[in-house]
Amino acid sequence: MKLVGVIFVVLQLDLLLSNYCGAAAAKHFGSGGCIANERRALLELKASLVLDDTHLLSTWDSKSDCCSWKGVVCSNQTGHIEMLNLNSRQFGHFRGKINASLMELRHL
């Protein structure tokens, strides 16, 4: 009987923590679902690159959810950007400087 009580308490604690973490993460989301400072960091990176082809990174704009941008993968749970896939086959070669704004992407 004690084991059942312990399992119940653990499940309740897990539910409580998942609700709290979800609410805390939701406070940091920008418009459209991704986190505002991470969207800003990617837009600063894009601005620092020399893009000869205007179609490169064309999905990266301030009006859309950065989690839906080509080459960007976000966590379904937190909304943080977890991966950037900017390979040359998909995007071509980039020129320019790597912007320090990438330091904002702490969950890569």
Side-chain angles (χ1 to χ4, degrees):
M1 200 61 162
K2 288 182 180 182
L3 181 58
V4 172
V6 170
I7 291 172
F8 178 75
V9 169
V10 168
L11 290 175
Q12 290 295 319
L13 184 60
D14 182 55
L15 180 62
L16 178 67
L17 287 175
S18 66
N19 286 340
Y20 173 76
C21 292
K27 290 179 184 176
H28 297 288
F29 278 76
S31 62
C34 66
I35 296 172
N37 68 322
E38 293 183 358
R39 171 193 281 130
R40 195 170 35 256
L42 289 180
L43 290 173
E44 287 178 25
L45 171 65
K46 179 181 177 181
S48 69
L49 297 172
V50 177
L51 302 173
D52 295 330
D53 182 352
T54 58
H55 291 50
L56 291 176
L57 305 181
S58 62
T59 60
W60 293 30
D61 63 50
S62 60
K63 296 175 184 153
S64 63
D65 176 7
C66 65
C67 294
S68 68
W69 295 352
K70 191 172 183 180
V72 177
V73 177
C74 295
S75 166
N76 290 333
Q77 294 177 338
T78 65
H80 286 290
I81 296 169
E82 292 183 327
M83 185 170 76
L84 286 178
N85 184 2
L86 302 177
N87 67 56
S88 61
R89 279 187 233 133
Q90 184 176 3
F91 291 103
H93 297 284
F94 294 105
R95 293 183 299 125
K97 295 186 179 187
I98 302 228
N99 195 295
S101 66
L102 284 181
M103 298 300 289
E104 292 292 320
L105 306 178
R106 300 179 195 273
H107 297 274
L108 281 179

